[in-house]
Amino acid sequence: MQTEVKSTCCYCGVGCGVLVATEGGRIVGVRGDPQHPANFGRLCTKGASLHLTADTTCRLLHPEQRTERHGLRQRLSWDAALDQAAGRFASIIREHGPDSVAFYISGQLMTEDYYVFNKLAKGLIGTNNVDTNSRLCMSSAVAGYKQTLGADAPPCSYEDIDQASLIFISGANPALAHPIVFRRIEDARAANPNLRIIVADPRRSETAEIADLHLPLKPGTDVALFNGMLQVMIAENLIDADYIAVHTRGFAELQAIVGEYTPERVAAICGLRAADIVTAARWFAGSKAALSLYCQGLNQSAHGTQNNAGIIHLHLATGQIGKPGAGPFSLTGQPNAMGGREVGGLANQLSAHRDLGNPEHRAEVAKLWGIPDVPSEPGKSAVDLFKSLKTGEIKAVWIACTNPAQSLPNQAAVRAALEAADYVVLQEAYGNTDTAAYADLLLPATTWGEKYGTVTNSERRISRVQSAVAAPGEARHDWQIVVDFARRLGHKLGNSATDKLFPYADAEAIFNEHRASTLGRDLDIGGLSYALLEQAGPQQWPYPQGAATGRTRLYEDGVFASADGKAAFLPIEHQPTADANTVDLPISLLSGRMRDQWHGMSRTGTVPRLFNQEDEPLLGMHPCDMRHRTLVSGDLARLSNARGDSVLRVVERAGMQKGQAWLPMHWGSQFLNSPGANAVACDAVDPSSMQPELKHAAVQIARLELPYPLAVIRRCDNQAEALELMQEARPLLDRYPYANVSLYGRQAPLVVFRAALEQPLDAAALAELDQLFGMAGDAGAIVYSDRSRNIAKKAISRDGRLLAVRLAGEVLAQTWLKQAMAEDKLDPAMIRFALAPCSAPPVTIAPRNIVCKCADVSDLQIKAGIAAGDDLPALQQNLKCGTFCGSCVPDIKRMLAECKTHETVPV
Ligand SMILES: Nc1nc2c(c(=O)[nH]1)N[C@H]1C(S)=C(S)[C@@H](COP(=O)(O)OP(=O)(O)OC[C@H]3O[C@@H](n4cnc5c(=O)[nH]c(N)nc54)[C@H](O)[C@@H]3O)O[C@H]1N2
Ligand SMILES: Nc1nc2c(c(=O)[nH]1)N[C@H]1C(S)=C(S)[C@@H](COP(=O)(O)OP(=O)(O)OC[C@H]3O[C@@H](n4cnc5c(=O)[nH]c(N)nc54)[C@H](O)[C@@H]3O)O[C@H]1N2
Ligand code: SF4
Ligand SMILES: [Mo]
């Protein structure tokens, strides 16, 4: 019998509620929670395929150790593992002091996990060296809010989207990165045709398609744009002088600066039309309610704090804050980056939005924890933390729930730092991430579906996450691992307060302590409890004791979280990006997200159908830049700068500007023979937020001639078999100048291996490939070989269906073969064409377009349903199409309407 458990989606900061269906202790399905206020039942592709990530093939299931770097991993018991870790940490701390160890954690942990990590470092060991991947993500938003509004609190709610009359989306691509927020924007547009949408993004992104005005500004010129808009607002008297006078300070200084930012000058800096800057300013200031949505296009910059301040200024100057439909709303990236910020899990913060630099705040936290003091010196933030590992200033690092050997910029430096470290502990759910290769000790953690606790989404809403199934293998909850380690370490260090510091029997006790730390603070959650969250559902903070509900909107009274209650304007000026383009590095590389993948793909990369949109990393370019390099779509090129390089296939991407290229951030060394975008990404940081400028790298892109292509496609019986094969193929990647491996699939899961070489592949290498992909021997094989042209192809069939194809020297048929094999539809009559040099199937295989990406339903299936008399509800019922995110419902309706028209047209 199936049961459903309430939880949340573990991907983006929208924080959708999910209902996890389980049967016999296994996860068998997932659907959107109709009652959750973040999504009201909707899910995007990633959320809708969460249950498909429950496969445990790639999971880390037992503690493991390595006795030499990159050596074989050996299993050990939890006791042995944690004693070893405590012993190593204790001896390093005794010899070199508390600041010689560090913790690098993650906005994907539960709030409770985060809380105990922070307490372990700051309360037990006495170091502030605890930083997180939120440093790569939200730290500029944190610094921006704090420096202007006085506290790190997004003042808005999702319902403001419904009430806005202007939405200004800047440096964010919610169509792909926050899809359920985007659905809400689409709904708002449908309900209010007068809603205006402006999108500021160097690319014509998927989100820009909905814009009334797209501002394709040059990368890193947002401050100039915001100052320019403010200049127009001042010049045309569109500002709210009363609001500025009563509720803010610093306007005069900023006004003196922005006077120089005339539309003409800004147009030149940003590469925009002056008239568009004026229009944007008029629309913003003239609207009844202006809402800004922004994310990494602003944050991941060497002046990210100023970018954030720049957009907040527009709201303060026009009084567009603290009222329905208005305000600066920073979209959070990770599912619980907000929770991490709440417990102060950054190297310069303390619990409950307290500041490390403030002696009173330090004393409050010390009192709460019952210890004499907490250390006052800020710890190392992410980029610096890894630099200090290289210099030896930090000797041991504990990494949890993040994959720095993939996601940090300048991978050559990061990997050298991990090599240099004395001791690396990795607390991970999956055993095969890029960082796992550098770990001395690997500790298996539970993950989505298994773990429990609380998380906070972009709109300050706290949800309970419930376990749906038991932990696989010996995996433990993150908080349990930390508490167990902390107790052992404390005793080894002779700290008599250890047991009192870590008394927790369960995560609820940790939540309750965190709650106590928030009393009287801006994020006071004194009125919340696990029981209340379970009974009344997710709640927004603040939610003090005695409150009946949380607060939807902050600063409605115009009183800000600063000492004088006023918000501040900062005197900000445009500055160039950290990486300058030169004759040798003429292209700006932008990197970011695809709809169906999550970061380093440890989880989404286990689901074949999530590769169907794109199954290799494609470097998007502008046609002029391609022509200049004699490149056409599908060619190979080397992307490089002084930090590193990567060989990739280039494609012409619609919406790119000349001089810019685009690469998804997702592909790392598990799928590609280089670290991908972060081989070249820039590690210069914002001086205030310490967030690196991941979004812009100056690069060269040059054509690369590798005349001998290779493609192997192997159909597998199930997902586990495909995952095992993909992992076995992984080591081969490093042998080729261009190589990647991925999954693909619909009815049948496939492994797809692609490479290209300077020389033809020799017989031994071919034989090795055939062995690996189960194609050795002649049974069921057809072979084509043309030595003069160095072509060697082989196909194997089993039970009348194509099982595997290896194409060497010429790979024209790979795309249609892959699709036909994924459909599991290639009948025996067609198998003989598998080795033909044709880029389209020689016999008609009806082309199929996927209409519903979430349920993977094609136009053919929908047409068949319509032909059988199905209407929309019947199609939804039978095929599940249009029942997840809903974005394909208009397409299905169009297909129904078209069918009707055909029926009524007289022949
Ligand atoms: N599918 C998917 N969704 C995700 C994630 C994922 O991995 N996959 N990750 C989550 C996380 S952690 C995060 S942080 C968010 C990120 O969410 P977003 O920030 O919305 O996504 P990105 O693709 O990183 O970048 C957004 C846009 O910034 C633009 N941009 C680049 N440089 C500039 C610039 O100088 N100025 C401006 N104005 N724009 C610029 C890019 O062209 C891009 O379209 O996504 C979250 N959601
Ligand atoms: N070039 C470039 N680089 C970027 C970005 C970019 O836009 N461009 N974006 C940056 C941003 S915004 C972010 S947020 C980072 C993200 O970078 P990472 O944090 O490195 O990304 P993930 O792949 O999500 O890593 C999370 C890891 O935690 C593991 N895990 C999952 N669940 C659990 C759990 O419950 N417990 C434990 N212990 N482990 C678990 C997963 O298997 C995964 O390996 O990347 C940054 N890097
Ligand atoms: S928008 Fe998609 S990825 Fe983000 S929380 Fe909702 S279902 Fe998950
Ligand atoms: Mo992020």
Side-chain angles (χ1 to χ4, degrees):
M1 211 193 57
Q2 282 197 10
T3 48
E4 270 187 336
V5 178
K6 255 185 202 281
S7 192
T8 58
C9 171
C10 58
Y11 297 118
C12 83
V14 178
C16 297
V18 297
L19 298 171
V20 191
T22 65
E23 193 172 336
R26 288 179 46 243
I27 294 175
V28 292
V30 66
R31 66 183 174 108
D33 179 351
Q35 281 161 359
H36 198 291
N39 57 321
F40 297 109
R42 286 169 161 173
L43 292 177
C44 76
T45 351
K46 294 181 300 301
S49 47
L50 268 170
H51 59 298
L52 303 175
T53 67
D55 185 283
T56 54
T57 310
C58 298
R59 289 290 298 276
L60 184 62
L61 295 172
H62 311 280
E64 291 175 18
Q65 67 169 343
R66 260 198 198 93
T67 42
E68 57 188 277
R69 197 62 17 114
H70 308 299
L72 285 180
R73 290 170 10 188
Q74 302 140 4
R75 191 169 151 178
L76 73 174
S77 71
W78 269 110
D79 269 338
L82 291 179
D83 277 340
Q84 179 199 100
R88 290 296 298 270
F89 266 65
S91 73
I92 291 173
I93 291 166
R94 264 197 302 267
E95 196 175 330
H96 305 281
D99 289 335
S100 60
V101 300
F103 297 85
Y104 183 59
I105 60 178
S106 165
Q108 295 172 59
L109 291 166
M110 302 281 120
T111 301
E112 293 78 358
D113 304 331
Y114 234 122
Y115 186 91
V116 287
F117 261 121
N118 206 36
K119 193 173 187 183
L120 162 64
K122 295 172 185 170
L124 179 78
I125 299 177
T127 179
N128 288 320
N129 283 341
V130 49
D131 213 52
T132 102
N133 60 0
S134 285
R135 190 65 69 184
L136 316 179
C137 182
M138 301 314 297
S139 60
S140 295
V142 174
Y145 275 135
K146 286 179 76 166
Q147 292 182 18
T148 56
L149 308 184
D152 171 25
C156 309
S157 287
Y158 296 144
E159 62 177 67
D160 286 315
I161 295 170
D162 317 339
Q163 298 168 31
S165 44
L166 174 111
I167 301 181
F168 184 31
I169 303 173
S170 185
N173 190 12
L176 307 192
H178 295 96
I180 299 305
V181 158
F182 196 70
R183 296 286 91 77
R184 206 145 171 168
I185 299 172
E186 289 170 341
D187 290 352
R189 153 67 48 88
N192 172 15
N194 296 324
L195 171 67
R196 280 179 166 147
I197 300 176
I198 305 174
V199 173
D201 192 310
R203 304 180 304 139
R204 191 170 177 86
S205 64
E206 293 74 4
T207 300
E209 293 302 326
I210 203 179
D212 301 289
L213 177 63
H214 172 220
L215 302 171
L217 77 178
K218 285 190 193 146
T221 63
D222 298 86
V223 166
L225 170 65
F226 303 147
N227 277 2
M229 287 170 67
L230 187 55
Q231 192 276 344
V232 174
M233 292 174 187
I234 296 170
E236 300 193 359
N237 203 14
L238 300 171
I239 54 173
D240 185 337
D242 290 343
Y243 193 91
I244 295 172
V246 180
H247 300 296
T248 73
R249 65 186 127 82
F251 186 69
E253 286 105 299
L254 181 60
Q255 185 171 12
I257 291 172
V258 302
E260 305 284 312
Y261 287 79
T262 58
E264 294 68 30
R265 181 168 165 239
V266 172
I269 297 174
C270 300
L272 296 171
R273 293 197 329 212
D276 287 345
I277 298 161
V278 175
T279 304
R282 287 181 185 158
W283 283 6
F284 189 105
S287 79
K288 260 206 252 101
L291 181 72
S292 297
L293 301 174
Y294 48 97
C295 200
Q296 299 315 334
L298 300 194
N299 293 349
Q300 287 171 343
S301 152
H303 39 268
T305 307
Q306 304 200 340
N307 290 341
N308 275 266
I311 208 163
I312 294 170
H313 289 163
L314 301 179
H315 290 271
L316 293 172
T318 52
Q320 296 276 17
I321 184 167
K323 61 179 195 181
F329 193 178
S330 112
L331 295 170
T332 322
Q334 299 179 89
N336 198 31
M338 288 285 288
R341 287 147 72 175
E342 289 153 22
V343 303
L346 283 164
N348 52 342
Q349 290 187 8
L350 283 173
S351 302
H353 288 175
R354 289 183 177 86
D355 282 325
L356 241 165
N358 181 331
E360 273 169 39
H361 285 182
R362 289 202 303 276
E364 284 166 15
V365 172
K367 186 163 165 238
L368 200 78
W369 287 347
I371 54 172
D373 49 34
V374 285
S376 59
E377 276 299 297
K380 303 272 187 202
S381 58
V383 171
D384 257 6
L385 191 159
F386 281 83
K387 283 187 178 158
S388 304
L389 267 185
K390 179 76 173 85
T391 60
E393 199 184 331
I394 295 178
K395 310 222 173 288
V397 64
W398 188 297
I399 300 165
C401 201
T402 177
N403 185 15
Q406 197 265 343
S407 54
L408 277 169
N410 194 358
Q411 274 299 314
V414 170
R415 293 175 180 202
L418 285 164
E419 290 283 354
D422 282 357
Y423 192 54
V424 178
V425 179
L426 178 65
Q427 184 170 325
E428 243 293 346
Y430 289 81
N432 60 335
T433 68
D434 288 353
T435 307
Y438 297 87
D440 299 297
L441 185 69
L442 295 104
L443 303 175
T446 54
T447 185
W448 180 85
E450 299 147 16
K451 63 193 299 177
Y452 74 101
T454 52
V455 293
T456 311
N457 73 4
S458 285
E459 58 164 3
R460 293 173 280 108
R461 192 180 295 280
I462 301 177
S463 295
R464 268 284 277 126
V465 171
Q466 317 245 26
S467 308
V469 292
E474 294 178 16
R476 288 188 183 175
H477 301 311
D478 286 293
W479 70 267
Q480 283 176 320
I481 302 173
V482 178
V483 168
D484 195 347
F485 168 72
R487 288 178 185 153
R488 291 171 203 250
L489 177 68
H491 291 136
K492 283 209 167 36
L493 290 172
N495 185 329
S496 53
T498 303
D499 291 336
K500 245 178 62 206
L501 272 175
F502 294 92
Y504 320 107
D506 58 22
E508 187 169 4
I510 304 173
F511 177 85
N512 293 345
E513 183 176 316
H514 161 57
R515 176 181 61 194
S517 79
T518 68
L519 299 182
R521 306 281 310 157
D522 67 314
L523 72 167
D524 192 327
I525 52 165
L528 289 184
S529 64
Y530 271 21
L532 186 131
L533 290 169
E534 279 155 31
Q535 280 147 26
Q539 303 295 333
Q540 287 178 287
W541 61 251
Y543 195 115
Q545 240 158 5
T549 58
R551 184 107 39 90
T552 309
R553 208 163 288 109
L554 306 181
Y555 314 129
E556 281 171 311
D557 53 4
V559 178
F560 291 92
S562 57
D564 60 1
K566 292 188 173 189
F569 287 98
L570 308 183
I572 56 170
E573 290 266 19
H574 165 70
Q575 293 166 57
T577 53
D579 250 16
N581 287 117
T582 59
V583 180
D584 294 333
L585 302 171
I587 304 276
S588 282
L589 179 74
L590 311 177
S591 63
R593 273 119 189 119
M594 291 173 54
R595 190 195 60 197
D596 293 352
Q597 296 295 354
W598 179 258
H599 299 162
M601 307 199 285
S602 63
R603 191 178 0 227
T604 48
T606 65
V607 181
R609 71 153 78 146
L610 292 180
F611 283 96
N612 291 356
Q613 198 188 19
E614 266 168 37
D615 65 347
E616 70 173 311
L618 297 173
L619 180 62
M621 293 181 72
H622 187 274
C624 284
D625 296 321
M626 292 177 69
R627 224 174 302 129
H628 186 64
R629 291 166 174 75
T630 65
L631 285 165
V632 297
S633 283
D635 283 350
L636 300 180
R638 183 185 301 280
L639 164 76
S640 66
N641 61 19
R643 289 181 288 265
D645 63 357
S646 188
V647 176
L648 300 158
R649 194 179 300 285
V650 295
V651 285
E652 185 181 322
R653 277 245 197 252
M656 298 298 303
Q657 297 284 311
K658 208 165 150 234
Q660 292 165 14
W662 167 260
L663 185 63
M665 66 166 293
H666 307 292
W667 273 268
S669 308
Q670 290 307 302
F671 301 89
L672 177 67
N673 63 348
S674 83
N678 284 326
V680 294
C682 175
D683 55 359
V685 300
D686 174 302
S688 226
S689 69
M690 309 302 275
Q691 179 157 354
E693 188 153 278
L694 283 158
K695 275 282 172 280
H696 323 116
V699 295
Q700 181 55 284
I701 297 175
R703 192 186 161 77
L704 188 68
E705 216 52 70
L706 294 172
Y708 298 98
L710 170 72
V712 185
I713 308 167
R714 172 68 152 83
R715 180 164 56 79
C716 296
D717 287 338
N718 53 52
Q719 186 182 5
E721 191 195 320
L723 286 169
E724 267 161 28
L725 179 56
M726 187 165 76
Q727 294 201 73
E728 283 165 23
R730 162 76 215 45
L732 289 188
L733 297 180
D734 300 326
R735 298 198 197 158
Y736 301 90
Y738 159 83
N740 55 63
V741 63
S742 77
L743 302 178
Y744 192 88
R746 298 209 158 88
Q747 273 72 20
L750 310 181
V751 175
V752 183
F753 181 90
R754 293 191 193 82
L757 308 84
E758 275 161 38
Q759 311 288 335
L761 212 57
D762 62 36
L766 277 178
E768 189 188 15
L769 268 177
D770 290 354
Q771 189 69 38
L772 179 75
F773 287 96
M775 315 182 59
D778 295 333
I782 48 171
V783 177
Y784 172 85
S785 139
D786 179 346
R787 285 244 173 85
S788 65
R789 290 163 58 222
N790 293 301
I791 292 174
K793 303 186 185 182
K794 183 172 185 179
I796 296 260
S797 51
R798 193 172 70 189
D799 304 330
R801 284 138 80 226
L802 201 56
L803 181 70
V805 197
R806 177 252 294 157
L807 309 175
E810 182 273 291
V811 296
L812 281 172
Q814 61 167 325
T815 305
W816 71 263
L817 272 174
K818 181 179 74 182
Q819 280 160 3
M821 285 169 75
E823 305 277 355
D824 211 6
K825 280 220 171 108
L826 209 56
D827 68 49
M830 278 149 48
I831 289 175
R832 64 200 168 90
F833 292 109
L835 303 186
C838 40
S839 54
V843 281
T844 340
I845 298 177
R848 206 178 107 118
N849 291 315
I850 299 303
V851 177
C852 175
K853 310 277 188 331
C854 305
D856 204 39
V857 178
S858 73
D859 53 351
L860 295 186
Q861 287 166 286
I862 295 172
K863 279 182 191 156
I866 296 173
D870 287 356
D871 57 3
L872 180 63
L875 289 168
Q876 288 176 315
Q877 169 82 31
N878 298 339
L879 299 170
K880 300 279 174 283
C881 54
T883 58
F884 291 97
C885 75
S887 60
C888 64
V889 170
D891 293 327
I892 303 174
K893 283 186 183 158
R894 186 182 40 73
M895 290 172 72
L896 276 159
E898 273 172 10
C899 244
K900 274 224 180 72
T901 340
H902 289 161
E903 277 166 17
T904 51
V905 172
V907 190

